[in-house]
């Protein structure tokens, strides 16, 4: 099982090719989908992380750079930030890799509930309003939230068939987390989602 290993020359983590559970059906995934706030502290493998991120918002059509989740007007305005014990990263779907944002454990800043600080993985869905050309200001947060919700559901379904626990969260000190991640004034945190091995069956 692979673990996180930085390329010290580029602050980058190359992810293995995503491999999803081969036998689960959509019906099984939907029946098993649930929210859980009880996680083991065990780190996820690089293989598990690769599958999660690809399912969330990876490239599924190389000829058109289409994604696994829809986005309004194909803006693809959501960036997936990966908050681990080892540091915070931004997922680069084109190259299927992680780019280091901060070499610091920011899990405790990724939500206001106690369990987020010890869970192995917190995903943070950040909307970049500069990509939403033509959107009225009053529409941007609503549309970005809808797009983030689609991504979160993809993660839920992957977790359901991969034996992982997950919960999507809106309870976030957005100002604190945005500062910790170094976000600009045009980037807004839509949602966060915690993932890990379930503490109980």
């Amino acid at each position: 099982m692979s673990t996180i290993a930085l390329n010290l020359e580029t602050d980058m983590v190359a992810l293995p090719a995503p491999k999803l559970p081969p036998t689960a059906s959509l019906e099984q995934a939907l029946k098993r989908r649930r929210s859980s706030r009880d996680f083991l502290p065990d780190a996820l493998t690089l293989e598990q992380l690769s599958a999660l991120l690809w399912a969330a918002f990876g490239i599924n059509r190389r000829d058109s750079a289409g994604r696994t989740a829809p986005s309004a007007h194909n803006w693809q305005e959501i960036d997936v930030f990966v908050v681990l014990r080892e540091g915070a990263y931004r997922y680069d779907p084109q190259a299927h890799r992680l780019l280091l944002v901060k070499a610091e454990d920011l899990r405790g800043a990724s939500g206001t509930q106690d369990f987020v600080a010890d869970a192995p993985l917190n995903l943070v869905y950040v909307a970049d309003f500069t990509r939403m050309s033509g959107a009225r200001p009053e529409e941007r947060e609503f549309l970005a939230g809808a797009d983030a919700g689609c991504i979160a559901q993809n993660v839920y379904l992957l977790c359901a068939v991969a034996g992982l626990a997950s919960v999507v969260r809106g309870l976030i000190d957005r100002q604190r987390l945005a500062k910790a991640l170094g976000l600009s004034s045009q980037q807004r945190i839509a949602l966060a989602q915690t993932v890990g091995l379930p503490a109980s069956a």
Side-chain angles (χ1 to χ4, degrees), residues 5 14 23 43 66 97 111 123 129 133 140 151 161 182:
T23 58
R97 63 182 179 176
L123 301 173
F129 288 169
S133 60
R140 293 183 303 186
I151 294 169
V161 298

Side-chain angles (χ1 to χ4, degrees), residues 87-106:
Y89 304 82
R90 182 177 59 80
Y91 175 51
D92 173 4
Q94 283 76 22
H96 195 57
R97 63 182 179 176
L98 299 179
L99 301 174
L100 182 67
V101 172
K102 187 171 285 188
E104 183 180 336
D105 186 352
L106 299 180

Side-chain angles (χ1 to χ4, degrees), residues 53-190:
L53 292 172
W54 181 83
F57 206 34
I59 302 290
N60 68 356
R61 287 155 284 167
R62 285 290 171 190
D63 57 333
S64 64
R67 302 289 193 92
T68 57
S71 65
H73 298 273
N74 198 31
W75 282 318
Q76 299 183 9
E77 80 283 1
I78 301 296
D79 285 314
V80 180
F81 284 74
V82 178
V83 182
L84 302 160
R85 182 192 306 273
E86 294 86 352
Y89 304 82
R90 182 177 59 80
Y91 175 51
D92 173 4
Q94 283 76 22
H96 195 57
R97 63 182 179 176
L98 299 179
L99 301 174
L100 182 67
V101 172
K102 187 171 285 188
E104 183 180 336
D105 186 352
L106 299 180
R107 290 176 298 168
S110 70
T112 60
Q113 294 147 305
D114 291 342
F115 64 84
V116 302
D118 298 315
L121 169 65
N122 290 292
L123 301 173
V124 180
Y125 305 131
V126 176
D128 185 342
F129 288 169
T130 65
R131 299 179 198 161
M132 301 178 77
S133 60
R136 295 193 298 271
E138 65 272 18
E139 289 183 325
R140 293 183 303 186
E141 290 193 19
F142 171 79
L143 292 171
D147 291 345
C150 292
I151 294 169
Q153 180 69 344
N154 281 1
V155 171
Y156 264 125
L157 294 177
L158 188 282
C159 288
V161 298
L164 297 172
S166 182
V167 63
V168 69
R169 300 181 285 100
L171 293 175
I172 307 161
D173 183 338
R174 286 172 170 78
Q175 186 174 2
R176 176 191 178 200
L177 183 54
K179 183 176 180 180
L181 293 173
L183 302 182
S184 76
S185 62
Q186 291 298 305
Q187 291 176 290
R188 302 292 174 83
I189 296 165

